[in-house]
């Protein structure tokens, strides 16, 4: 079976920057519902369309096609007194954007009485290489299509 709209695709991936430095990789296979459901980047879906089990490729994505450009407006400083004791660099907390969407902020620096936060994705502003290998392709169930994601092993669990 080949990858088309409404197929459940299981793959392994590695993400590196353009110099080849490994940034992330799947420890276990992951599955996604193919066909514009927002479960992976559109350029990755485009590269996988029509392919089958065993297909492997490296797809280069510019920031706009991956995690977006780095946004200076997502940098904030907040008084340390507004944090619970034990706040550490690398810690994360959720906040709300002006549009109501959830943003995950990472503590990047603590300097005196001020905590510096960054709401950008860690890979924002970076061109990335995704090395993918297709392990399985199957027809998605009606329930998966209705929910917009794959269920079960390597997929979403309710």
């Amino acid at each position: 079976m080949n990858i088309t709209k409404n197929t459940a695709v299981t793959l392994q991936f590695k993400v590196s920057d353009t110099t080849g430095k490994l940034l992330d990789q799947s420890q276990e296979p992951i599955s996604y519902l193919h066909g514009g459901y927002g479960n992976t980047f559109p350029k990755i879906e485009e590269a996988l369309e029509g392919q089958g089990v065993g297909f492997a490729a490296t797809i280069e994505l510019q920031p706009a096609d991956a995690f977006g450009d780095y946004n200076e407006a997502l940098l904030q400083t907040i008084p340390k007194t507004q944090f619970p004791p034990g706040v550490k660099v690398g810690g994360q907390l959720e906040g709300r954007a002006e549009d109501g969407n959830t943003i995950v902020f990472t503590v990047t620096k603590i300097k005196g009485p001020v905590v510096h936060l960054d709401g950008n994705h860690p890979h924002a502003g970076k061109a990335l290489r995704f090395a993918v290998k297709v392990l399985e392709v199957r027809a998605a169930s009606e329930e998966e299509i209705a929910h917009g994601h794959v269920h079960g092993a390597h997929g979403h669990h309710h």
Side-chain angles (χ1 to χ4, degrees), residues 22 24 29 31 40 43 57 59 77 84 86 89 91 111 135-137 149:
L22 183 66
D24 193 13
S31 296
T40 191
K43 296 265 183 185
I59 302 128
T77 55
V89 171
K111 190 168 185 176
L135 303 177
E136 180 184 351
V137 180
H149 56 252

Side-chain angles (χ1 to χ4, degrees), residues 75-84 87-89 91 93 106-118:
L75 301 176
Q76 296 184 8
T77 55
I78 296 179
K80 191 174 180 181
T81 57
Q82 292 186 15
F83 288 87
V87 63
K88 294 181 181 166
V89 171
L93 62 124
T106 302
V107 176
T108 57
K109 181 170 37 170
I110 301 170
K111 190 168 185 176
V114 179
V115 176
H116 295 256
L117 301 171
D118 187 346

Side-chain angles (χ1 to χ4, degrees), residues 18-130:
T18 55
T19 67
K21 178 183 173 193
L22 183 66
L23 302 173
D24 193 13
Q25 68 181 12
S26 56
Q27 300 301 314
E28 296 289 325
I30 61 162
S31 296
Y32 79 95
L33 181 59
H34 188 85
Y37 294 95
N39 295 311
T40 191
F41 297 120
K43 296 265 183 185
I44 292 177
E45 280 204 352
E46 186 180 303
L48 295 177
E49 180 73 26
Q51 302 300 329
V53 172
F55 177 76
T58 299
I59 302 128
E60 286 211 21
L61 300 180
Q62 294 304 309
D65 298 320
F67 295 102
D69 292 321
Y70 192 82
N71 183 351
E72 296 282 336
L74 294 176
L75 301 176
Q76 296 184 8
T77 55
I78 296 179
K80 191 174 180 181
T81 57
Q82 292 186 15
F83 288 87
V87 63
K88 294 181 181 166
V89 171
Q92 295 186 320
L93 62 124
E94 287 186 3
R96 295 261 177 232
E98 291 177 11
D99 62 6
N101 286 327
T102 301
I103 297 178
V104 175
F105 287 92
T106 302
V107 176
T108 57
K109 181 170 37 170
I110 301 170
K111 190 168 185 176
V114 179
V115 176
H116 295 256
L117 301 171
D118 187 346
N120 287 286
H121 186 281
H123 301 317
K126 296 179 183 174
L128 301 171
R129 289 184 183 141
F130 282 78

Side-chain angles (χ1 to χ4, degrees), residues 134-153:
V134 178
L135 303 177
E136 180 184 351
V137 180
R138 65 169 174 79
S141 70
E142 289 181 26
E143 182 181 39
E144 290 170 324
I145 294 167
H147 288 188
H149 56 252
V150 173
H151 293 164

